[in-house]
Amino acid sequence: MLKNFVRSAVVAVFSVMTLVSYASENILTLESQGEENQFTLEQLLPYVDKEVITSTPWTNGDTTFVGISAKEILHLLGVENADLKVTALNNYWSRIPYRDIEKYNPVFAIKKNGQTMSVRDKGPVWLIYPLSEFNEQNNEILHSRMVWQVNRIEIIQ
């Protein structure tokens, strides 16, 4: 029992440390037409507009993700329809076609099961498609587009 309490306390402390760290440092850059805007977690929170409950190949069972929808990202960038280039900390990137945004409206998740995500946990931003809602759990093309550790989103014209 004491072991479980200590484990829970350590998880809580690291969650708070992660939130405090991300609240004050830039975690995401949005680029459109050569103009860049950087955001901290705290600055992203007001734009949260979507929750997705889905299973993924990297999580156990249904997981709840909360974040900013791709449509809201386009709105923030002042664009109605465009593809997105989503880049991770390790420079892995994927092109998200506008047809995916129309059909799935994936979410740039900043919370998983109510907690902010550390880099170790595929955060601080993870692009999530609603795989379960569309019965697409085995769609490897969508899997390849679910970039984790996202640090940059660019408009592709």
Side-chain angles (χ1 to χ4, degrees), residues 39-89:
F39 293 85
T40 64
L41 176 63
E42 188 174 280
Q43 291 170 320
L44 290 173
L45 288 173
Y47 301 106
V48 168
D49 67 338
K50 188 168 182 182
E51 176 182 274
V52 170
I53 300 171
T54 193
S55 62
T56 76
W58 309 281
T59 57
N60 294 321
D62 284 344
T63 303
T64 302
F65 295 94
V66 174
I68 304 165
S69 69
K71 288 180 181 178
E72 180 64 14
I73 293 288
L74 288 175
H75 178 74
L76 285 171
L77 292 168
V79 178
E80 287 193 32
N81 59 21
D83 293 356
L84 297 174
K85 180 181 178 183
V86 179
T87 306
L89 290 170

Side-chain angles (χ1 to χ4, degrees), residues 32 67 147:
S32 177
V147 179

Side-chain angles (χ1 to χ4, degrees), residues 13 31 55 57 63 71-73 83 87 92 96-97 119 124 132 138-139 151:
V13 167
E31 182 184 334
S55 62
T63 303
K71 288 180 181 178
E72 180 64 14
I73 293 288
D83 293 356
T87 306
Y92 174 84
I96 310 305
V119 170
S132 297
N138 298 315
N139 186 326
N151 70 339

